[in-house]
Amino acid sequence: MSTSLPHLIIFFITYHIHKLESAEFRVMGPGHPVTAIVGENIVLLCHLSPRMSAENMEVRWFRSEFTSVVHLYQHGKDQNGEQMPDYHGRTELLKDGILDGNVSLQILNIRRSDEGQYSCFVQDGLFYEEALLELMVAGLGSNPLISVASHQDGGIRMVCQSAGWYPEPKVLWRDLSGQELPSLSEAKSLGDSGLFETENSIIIKERSNQNLSCWIRNTVLNQEKESTVYIADSFFPRVNPWMVALSVILLVLFGFIGLTVYLFKIKGKHLGEINDLQSELDWRRNIVCPANVTLDPDTAHPDLVLSEDGKSVRWGDTRQDLPDKPERFDTAPWVLGCGGFTAGRHCWEVEAEAEVGGGGYWAVGVARESVGRKGWISLSPEGGIWAVEWCGDQFQALTSPATPLPLSRVPSRIWVCLDCGRGQVTFIDAGAEAPIFTFPPGSVPGERIRPWLWVWPGSRLRLRP
């Protein structure tokens, strides 16, 4: 013992001196909780400061314990042997920026069980650092389904049902004027996926509160869904021989209406084909005279570098010291186009170029003028963005949830076509002259809409003249 004690003391002194000498970086995370929506993808941002290559370092993402591995990168490649089963096939270390110290992790198809604390751990030799990130998961459930359950207490018992919510949602009944109505009963339960299912009932009387809305709100996302129904007097219980005759008349009337709707649908289908052909001809005329779009440097994230003519953008080698203006994006590497559009049809072409050694990770589309600039914004129409993205090896439309686009090749030149009058955005493969994806008419709000680009390390986007 007397012989080994000095050796032990020397070992610890040497170890700590070496650790102090190797302390050359910090591991940086977002510093605030990150919110993800069930079924969508999320990128947990993490990088080294100062920025340096992490290619030969160990990068370990884990949960509460060091051995609870979410994703492990060692010896220059991913190691799947220690990964928790729940994350098999659902994680990707974004290596496009690893030479610049970017060790961000993408998690696919977010689940309720993914919520909690994550550690971004980086080790180089004996020196290591880590950053803690808090992931919050939210579920925006189905549209409320209102149904007539039964006659009760001289009125009608109405039931509102919905599923797929998290955390526990707030449910209200409202009348035509928006006033809250008292519920008869409320039941909420957790389904097999860990998401809430809710069932709420109310009794309405004849000639009172017959315009009825069921309103369900997610308190984390500050988003709600609402359904409305009107109950006619004829549905209320009463002893009247005319009720039978009236019911028969209503059944016949509804049958006639259903037949009429069906015939109109058949007619509308043919009209829709004609309108689609006319719409395509209109877009082709607009492409002949494309809009002159340039990028707005006041909105560009500090990691992005714009060309002098405002026609191209790439990821910079070092973060720029730029003023933190209200209009500048501070979390995601995004940039908006100058000006924007409020009326008419407009098209512009965007070309994606992969830099040397880059795998490519980019997105192109449009965003509303009021899109959030600070913090992480939902990549969907609900967040004010209509776009398509190339994510490593997957091309998809940023709907909610995302829509995979199974193309034979990823287009390098894309026409972005905005129709302000119809509230519609169309993406066209400029090389093949074939449509890629169209957000439906009415999905884009009637406010100023601006071009929007997203660039990660390894890619460059250029607005063609």
Side-chain angles (χ1 to χ4, degrees):
M1 178 66 72
S2 61
T3 303
S4 60
L5 182 58
H7 289 83
L8 188 61
I9 293 174
I10 293 172
F11 170 79
F12 278 107
I13 293 174
T14 305
Y15 172 80
H16 285 288
I17 290 175
H18 182 79
K19 188 172 188 293
L20 289 173
E21 291 176 346
S22 302
E24 299 178 351
F25 63 84
R26 291 183 302 156
V27 180
M28 309 296 292
H32 56 77
V34 178
T35 301
I37 299 177
V38 172
E40 296 188 0
N41 305 337
I42 187 70
V43 175
L44 302 181
L45 299 177
C46 185
H47 68 271
L48 304 184
S49 179
R51 294 187 178 273
M52 64 182 68
S53 174
E55 186 176 24
N56 297 319
M57 300 182 185
E58 175 182 327
V59 180
R60 180 186 295 257
W61 283 86
F62 61 94
R63 296 293 298 267
S64 57
E65 299 178 356
F66 191 79
T67 55
S68 302
V69 177
V70 176
H71 193 97
L72 177 61
Y73 172 88
Q74 275 182 330
H75 310 303
K77 61 181 180 179
D78 298 319
Q79 308 289 341
N80 300 323
E82 299 180 32
Q83 188 179 42
M84 290 189 291
D86 285 348
Y87 293 93
H88 283 176
R90 294 200 304 122
T91 63
E92 178 187 6
L93 189 70
L94 302 180
K95 304 183 187 67
D96 293 342
I98 198 168
L99 296 178
D100 196 33
N102 187 351
V103 291
S104 300
L105 180 73
Q106 179 174 233
I107 303 178
L108 308 177
N109 190 22
I110 288 295
R111 303 171 182 172
R112 159 69 183 88
S113 58
D114 294 334
E115 185 173 74
Q117 193 174 76
Y118 289 74
S119 292
C120 175
F121 174 92
V122 182
Q123 183 171 358
D124 183 20
L126 294 177
F127 177 75
Y128 62 85
E129 281 287 347
E130 67 178 306
L132 297 179
L133 293 84
E134 185 73 23
L135 177 63
M136 299 175 62
V137 174
L140 192 61
S142 60
N143 289 323
L145 175 63
I146 302 177
S147 59
V148 178
S150 62
H151 292 114
Q152 182 175 334
D153 300 333
I156 297 177
R157 187 169 73 90
M158 307 294 297
V159 175
C160 176
Q161 296 172 305
S162 184
W165 295 86
Y166 189 83
E168 183 174 334
K170 183 178 181 181
V171 184
L172 294 176
W173 290 97
R174 288 176 170 172
D175 62 14
L176 182 62
S177 63
Q179 294 296 315
E180 182 178 347
L181 302 174
S183 300
L184 174 66
S185 64
E186 182 177 12
K188 296 175 182 174
S189 60
L190 281 173
D192 295 337
S193 60
L195 305 178
F196 280 95
E197 303 172 355
T198 180
E199 180 174 308
N200 199 299
S201 65
I202 189 175
I203 293 179
I204 60 173
K205 304 290 185 178
E206 185 176 359
R207 295 188 176 87
S208 66
N209 304 325
Q210 291 174 225
N211 282 285
L212 195 65
S213 295
C214 180
W215 179 89
I216 306 180
R217 183 178 184 83
N218 185 303
T219 55
V220 173
L221 298 175
N222 288 324
Q223 297 183 36
E224 64 271 349
K225 292 192 174 182
E226 183 177 16
S227 293
T228 303
V229 69
Y230 174 79
I231 306 299
D233 291 342
S234 57
F235 285 90
F236 289 86
R238 64 178 67 171
V239 180
N240 190 326
W242 289 102
M243 286 295 295
V244 177
L246 181 59
S247 299
V248 173
I249 294 173
L250 289 174
L251 287 175
V252 174
L253 179 61
F254 289 150
F256 176 75
I257 293 174
L259 178 60
T260 303
V261 170
Y262 174 72
L263 293 176
F264 270 104
K265 282 185 177 179
I266 294 178
K267 181 179 179 182
K269 180 180 180 181
H270 295 293
L271 290 175
E273 293 175 354
I274 296 174
N275 290 335
D276 289 343
L277 178 58
Q278 183 62 45
S279 179
E280 182 176 351
L281 292 175
D282 290 341
W283 286 123
R284 289 186 180 275
R285 284 196 295 267
N286 286 337
I287 288 174
V288 174
C289 298
N292 183 19
V293 174
T294 57
L295 301 176
D296 184 354
D298 290 336
T299 67
H301 186 276
D303 282 334
L304 300 182
V305 178
L306 274 61
S307 62
E308 292 185 4
D309 61 359
K311 289 290 187 178
S312 69
V313 58
R314 64 175 177 84
W315 183 280
D317 297 330
T318 58
R319 173 167 291 207
Q320 303 173 86
D321 185 13
L322 299 176
D324 186 17
K325 299 182 178 181
E327 61 267 31
R328 188 181 305 283
F329 294 109
D330 68 350
T331 301
W334 301 347
V335 61
L336 294 178
C338 294
F341 310 100
T342 58
R345 293 190 180 101
H346 310 276
C347 291
W348 57 93
E349 183 178 345
V350 183
E351 182 176 21
E353 302 173 346
E355 296 181 342
V356 177
Y361 191 119
W362 49 263
V364 300
V366 299
R368 62 190 181 193
E369 174 75 29
S370 59
V371 68
R373 311 299 171 89
K374 308 303 180 185
W376 191 260
I377 310 300
S378 173
L379 286 171
S380 65
E382 288 78 6
I385 294 172
W386 295 261
V388 294
E389 72 165 359
W390 170 243
C391 178
D393 60 355
Q394 184 176 11
F395 194 52
Q396 60 187 6
L398 296 179
T399 54
S400 181
T403 301
L405 301 174
L407 304 179
S408 58
R409 65 174 185 83
V410 177
S412 60
R413 293 165 46 222
I414 296 176
W415 280 104
V416 182
C417 300
L418 170 66
D419 188 334
C420 296
R422 300 186 66 190
Q424 177 178 294
V425 183
T426 299
F427 297 90
I428 299 173
D429 184 342
E433 295 186 354
I436 299 173
F437 184 81
T438 297
F439 286 88
S443 60
V444 181
E447 64 173 273
R448 181 173 295 277
I449 301 299
R450 301 175 65 175
W452 173 90
L453 300 178
W454 179 10
V455 182
W456 272 91
S459 295
R460 178 196 301 265
L461 294 178
R462 182 164 62 93
L463 297 166
R464 291 176 63 88

